[in-house]
Amino acid sequence: MRRWLPLLALLAGLGCSISFAQTKVQNDPFSQYLTGIKASRPEPSLVRFAQECGVDLKIVVPRYADLPDNTWILVNDLAKGIHGLETDFFVTVAVWKQGDRILVEMWEMQLDVENENRTFYCMAKRKITAEEFSDWMLPEILQNGNEKPGWGYEQHWKMTAAGKFERTFHGFVYFNGEAISEPKLDEKTRKGLNWTPKVLTWSDLKLPAALLR
């Protein structure tokens, strides 16, 4: 597993359907996320991150968009549908703006390799102050009929006064965010888990300006 963000320049011709995503693994993180949107119940991790970012989820209405090809499209409600053809690859984003604070939640799906990941960004005056990344490998049915267990890896960073990312947390987690023991991984996968964020400003995300209105 490796870091896939940003996919903006790499995923041509991508799209999705909500029903396709939800039938993949009913308890997978993205399906839980959509269920929470429909029930107006934000994820505990989002609630915590928003509080740390200084954004009040109870009074700020998010704006949504998805990426069905090379262009972001604004979406009124992700729970009611995502643009594009049925495919294993798609990206969604939610943005909250309160004063000079911006909170971004981005999901990237690669269901052909059973991978989902979510990134939280916190910005002040359009500059990154914190970032969190959760990367999950979904359970997989092997050719012999056995199931390969799913697992996830989560990392948190804060921007220091010197303008550098400092990692404040990293560890293996399950779909609900609970800590788990380290799974058996090959060396390439293990090395690919640790990296430093590249996004420094709102402009680096290349998201529609309308998401801040």
Side-chain angles (χ1 to χ4, degrees):
M1 182 169 45
R2 48 176 288 213
R3 175 64 161 149
W4 294 96
L5 184 67
L7 292 180
L8 305 182
L10 300 178
L11 297 181
L14 96 172
C16 79
S17 73
I18 287 291
S19 60
F20 182 76
Q22 289 181 327
T23 57
K24 190 66 176 178
V25 178
Q26 287 299 323
N27 290 322
D28 70 292
F30 188 69
S31 293
Q32 294 178 36
Y33 167 63
L34 293 178
T35 298
I37 290 179
K38 185 176 296 185
S40 298
R41 185 181 63 249
E43 310 136 281
S45 55
L46 173 61
V47 173
R48 170 189 51 78
F49 189 79
Q51 291 174 342
E52 296 172 357
C53 186
V55 174
D56 190 340
L57 298 178
K58 294 181 179 179
I59 65 174
V60 182
V61 177
R63 292 182 178 274
Y64 301 104
D66 58 31
L67 191 67
D69 44 49
N70 291 318
T71 304
W72 285 101
I73 298 177
L74 299 183
V75 177
N76 290 330
D77 186 349
L78 289 179
K80 294 182 179 179
I82 294 177
H83 294 96
L85 301 175
E86 288 193 359
T87 178
D88 288 335
F89 304 93
F90 57 95
V91 186
T92 70
V93 67
V95 176
W96 295 259
K97 184 177 184 298
Q98 185 172 16
D100 68 352
R101 294 281 174 171
I102 299 172
L103 170 61
V104 177
E105 178 172 16
M106 182 177 292
W107 285 83
E108 299 179 28
M109 319 296 290
Q110 297 178 89
L111 298 179
D112 63 327
V113 292
E114 310 296 343
N115 178 237
E116 302 180 359
N117 65 64
R118 178 196 67 206
T119 310
F120 291 137
Y121 300 96
C122 177
M123 305 179 200
K125 298 180 179 179
R126 304 197 180 200
K127 295 182 179 180
I128 292 288
T129 60
E131 182 175 337
E132 294 187 9
F133 181 73
S134 298
D135 206 359
W136 293 280
M137 294 302 298
L138 306 182
E140 181 180 0
I141 303 299
L142 304 177
Q143 290 184 348
N144 60 11
N146 294 330
E147 182 179 81
K148 184 178 180 181
W151 56 274
Y153 189 69
E154 184 172 317
Q155 301 184 75
H156 301 181
W157 299 270
K158 297 288 186 183
M159 182 64 72
T160 68
K164 295 184 178 181
F165 282 104
E166 176 185 4
R167 192 166 69 169
T168 58
F169 170 82
H170 63 99
F172 290 92
V173 297
Y174 197 56
F175 298 165
N176 58 4
E178 292 183 0
I180 60 173
S181 300
E182 180 176 338
K184 185 177 180 180
L185 304 174
D186 59 69
E187 190 61 25
K188 181 179 180 181
T189 299
R190 187 183 304 278
K191 287 183 178 180
L193 293 176
N194 299 309
W195 46 273
T196 301
K198 302 296 184 182
V199 174
L200 299 176
T201 68
W202 167 262
S203 297
D204 292 336
L205 290 175
K206 303 185 186 304
L207 295 173
L211 288 171
L212 295 183
R213 293 176 185 170

